[in-house]
Amino acid sequence: MHSTTDAVIPNGSAGSGINGHDSYDMDAPTIQPKFLPKRNELGLVAVGFSGGQCKPGVDAAPMALIESGLVNQLKDDLEYTLHYDNQVHAYSDLMPASDPPHRGMKNASAVSAVTQKLSSQVYEHAKHGRFVLTLGGDHSIAIGTISGTAKAMRERLGRDMAVIWVDAHADINTPESSDSGNIHGMPLAFLTGLATEEEDKPFGWVKEDQRVSVKKLVYIGLRDVDRGEKKILRENGIKAFSMHDIDRHGIGKVMDMALGWIGRDTPIHLSFDIDALDPMWAPSTGTAVRGGLTLREGDFIAECVHETGSLVALDLVEVNPSLEEQGAAETVRAGVSIVRCALGDTLL
Ligand SMILES: NC(=[NH2+])NCCC[C@H](N)C(=O)O
Ligand SMILES: [Mn+2]
Ligand SMILES: [Mn+2]
């Protein structure tokens, strides 16, 4: 059932539980601590990039999150040793002079250049055994973060990585299925290899060892999925927990099922789009959708993933302080809270 490498501690009764795969098995094999991020070593990358969509302002999020005390809290309260270059990267030197649409994608060269650079930044941190926290920026940056960690985990553990994507949206459009042409709605198509490119640019640079399997992708919080995306999810048997599933089972059971699907022997990259939260809690975001997660449900997801001990990286994306400005401080606060929970903050 579970394949084991020397990175994994075998532990008898793998894969049992109520629905076999579907519940979290505390006795299943786990990843050996020496292969996981070193305790409390944190690599931080601040990405001030908005080119994956059309609304300005999402590039200001990293500074807003940091100014609201996030970095100090990680150092002082959670006792992380921080590896941070003290800058919000705008990658201005990488911006092309002109950026005509490519297969209908907007700003394809800019997103390509930024994500390729980001991929190597994230890879460097992960390779040195650090947990990698990336503050976005729009969700297109996940092409960079996930490709970087996936490659590093293959090298360090010899294993494929899982991705938990918490979002109102599936972000798995191919350039052809996308209605908007916004690349923040496409990162998972390139990361899973469902969309490919012949040439290195824009996204042919994402090679096999930087990809994630559709079988190791799990969604939580979906409620605004495009028709073409529903087809992609169905045809590829992708595990997805929509708001309907959360209403039906409660977030506790949904987390058991989500983590049970992944298994205990797999490193996890958590990509958290703040628009997964209901606009009541996070109004300042580019594509808000009502009927979302409560703040506690969002924090609970992050807490549960932390508790697995297998979390190796976190993205926090799509906070846009210039939208719904009266709610910006609250949105930033929600983002800070999610990050703290994912990094091990506890209520007691
Ligand atoms: N990361 C996000 N907020 N993505 C929203 C995507 C919306 C829509 N599905 C699109 O392709 O444009
Ligand atoms: Mn979204
Ligand atoms: Mn998203």
Side-chain angles (χ1 to χ4, degrees):
M1 179 160 292
H2 291 268
S3 63
T4 52
T5 67
D6 60 353
V8 173
I9 304 169
N11 192 352
S13 61
S16 57
I18 313 163
N19 296 323
H21 230 43
D22 272 2
S23 72
Y24 197 55
D25 182 356
M26 291 309 289
D27 294 325
T30 53
I31 303 169
Q32 277 199 50
K34 71 173 180 187
F35 292 97
L36 285 166
K38 292 174 197 142
R39 219 185 139 269
N40 293 1
E41 292 275 324
L42 180 73
L44 170 62
V45 189
V47 181
F49 181 67
S50 64
Q53 46 86 67
C54 301
K55 296 176 186 167
V58 68
D59 43 293
M63 198 35 84
L65 290 158
I66 290 165
E67 275 173 358
S68 85
L70 177 60
V71 165
N72 289 333
Q73 291 173 32
L74 296 177
K75 285 202 267 197
D76 301 342
D77 304 351
L78 295 171
E79 300 181 346
Y80 278 94
T81 304
L82 213 63
H83 301 263
Y84 175 42
D85 55 11
N86 278 305
Q87 49 175 314
V88 176
H89 295 269
Y91 305 98
S92 337
D93 52 319
L94 301 177
M95 289 304 126
S98 86
D99 207 343
H102 173 82
R103 290 169 71 187
M105 290 184 275
K106 294 171 181 157
N107 310 323
S109 317
V111 178
S112 165
V114 167
T115 53
Q116 189 168 14
K117 170 74 185 163
L118 175 58
S119 183
S120 64
Q121 292 174 290
V122 169
Y123 170 77
E124 279 303 312
H125 282 304
K127 189 179 82 175
H128 287 98
R130 301 168 193 150
F131 183 98
V132 193
L133 169 62
T134 306
L135 303 175
D138 71 68
H139 221 160
S140 67
I141 68 164
I143 297 172
T145 62
I146 291 175
S147 60
T149 47
K151 179 170 147 84
M153 289 311 125
R154 283 201 175 91
E155 289 174 9
R156 282 176 65 79
L157 288 97
R159 301 185 73 75
D160 292 352
M161 184 182 81
V163 171
I164 301 183
W165 195 273
V166 184
D167 205 319
H169 310 94
D171 295 348
I172 198 163
N173 272 305
T174 62
E176 287 67 35
S177 76
S178 169
D179 287 331
S180 66
N182 293 329
I183 299 173
H184 78 154
M186 308 178 196
L188 284 167
F190 290 105
L191 287 164
T192 56
L194 289 170
T196 49
E197 287 270 319
E198 296 290 313
E199 303 293 320
D200 234 38
K201 300 285 155 65
F203 299 115
W205 63 265
V206 183
K207 297 285 191 294
E208 190 55 40
D209 63 334
Q210 295 164 301
R211 290 190 194 136
V212 291
S213 158
V214 286
K215 296 287 173 250
K216 294 208 184 285
L217 167 61
V218 180
Y219 287 108
I220 302 170
L222 298 183
R223 58 192 182 278
D224 183 14
V225 180
D226 298 340
R227 194 143 46 92
E229 292 181 303
K230 288 182 183 172
K231 190 160 175 269
I232 291 171
L233 298 189
R234 232 182 293 120
E235 286 176 353
N236 293 282
I238 295 173
K239 200 72 175 167
F241 298 96
S242 66
M243 288 311 300
H244 177 93
D245 297 306
I246 294 167
D247 292 341
R248 166 146 302 166
H249 302 291
I251 193 68
K253 178 75 170 88
V254 163
M255 287 314 294
D256 278 353
M257 293 190 284
L259 296 170
W261 175 261
I262 290 169
R264 294 200 70 193
D265 53 357
T266 305
I268 302 172
H269 185 125
L270 175 61
S271 201
F272 203 114
D273 184 329
I274 201 71
D275 72 27
L277 300 184
D278 191 87
M280 177 180 285
W281 305 102
S284 299
T285 187
T287 49
V289 190
R290 296 185 299 167
L293 300 169
T294 65
L295 189 60
R296 256 317 294 162
E297 286 168 334
D299 283 350
F300 182 78
I301 292 168
E303 289 162 358
C304 289
V305 180
H306 174 84
E307 278 174 355
T308 63
S310 307
L311 183 61
V312 298
L314 168 69
D315 315 323
L316 182 77
V317 298
E318 298 284 352
V319 171
N320 186 336
S322 66
L323 302 172
E324 300 292 326
E325 279 179 62
Q326 54 320 332
E330 173 133 64
T331 309
V332 168
R333 219 161 37 240
V336 169
S337 179
I338 301 282
V339 173
R340 290 183 58 124
C341 291
L343 285 169
D345 198 10
T346 51
L347 297 177
L348 295 175

